[in-house]
Amino acid sequence: MCRRKQETQMVKRKVNNGKKGTPVRPANKNKDPRKAAKPKPRTDSKQAEVIGMLSRPQGITIPAIMKATGWQQHSVRGFFAGVVRKKLGLALQSEKKEGADRIYRIVACKPQTSSKRPAKAMTARKATKSARPSAGSRAL
């Protein structure tokens, strides 16, 4: 058999392969994949627990989060950077007091994120170099 006939035969086959117990269901055309339901945040998750601890006015330390969740220190720091700051867009403030662990808390305002770097100011040395004439254009 040539390849083209095989392909057309494969297309013409029924989805249920002749089995009586499995009905063929038509595709649901009403659902739009772009409008898929967003997952609801769980209130009993470790993530929700940590965000609740960070939302308190007194804040919380990394060792306290490690004890409450069972996470390691690098996992807590990764959670701060990846979930709290980037994914959720929350402003995380840290404060270091003398002789104590660093305290982290979520503050009300969102951090300003910019995709472009601000232009660097021209230093005085660079400005004087660009103002000088080049060696070939000097008058003798």
Side-chain angles (χ1 to χ4, degrees), residues 20-35:
K20 292 182 181 178
T22 56
V24 179
R25 288 187 275 157
N28 190 354
K29 295 179 182 178
N30 296 336
K31 290 188 178 179
D32 187 8
R34 292 175 285 168
K35 293 182 180 178

Side-chain angles (χ1 to χ4, degrees), residues 48-115:
E49 184 181 346
V50 173
I51 290 173
M53 288 187 266
L54 289 168
S55 299
R56 290 186 270 181
Q58 68 269 21
I60 194 159
T61 63
I62 288 180
I65 294 173
M66 289 169 56
K67 187 175 182 181
T69 59
W71 293 345
Q72 294 183 8
Q73 184 176 7
H74 65 273
S75 300
V76 175
R77 292 183 188 278
F79 175 79
F80 288 170
V83 176
V84 176
R85 287 190 172 135
K86 290 183 181 175
K87 186 177 176 185
L88 298 176
L90 300 172
L92 188 66
Q93 178 187 29
S94 68
E95 178 183 339
K96 175 76 172 163
K97 292 192 177 179
E98 198 67 33
D101 289 329
R102 187 171 291 274
I103 298 172
Y104 294 90
R105 69 179 58 87
I106 294 174
V107 291
C109 66
K110 288 188 175 183
Q112 293 180 357
T113 57
S114 174
S115 60

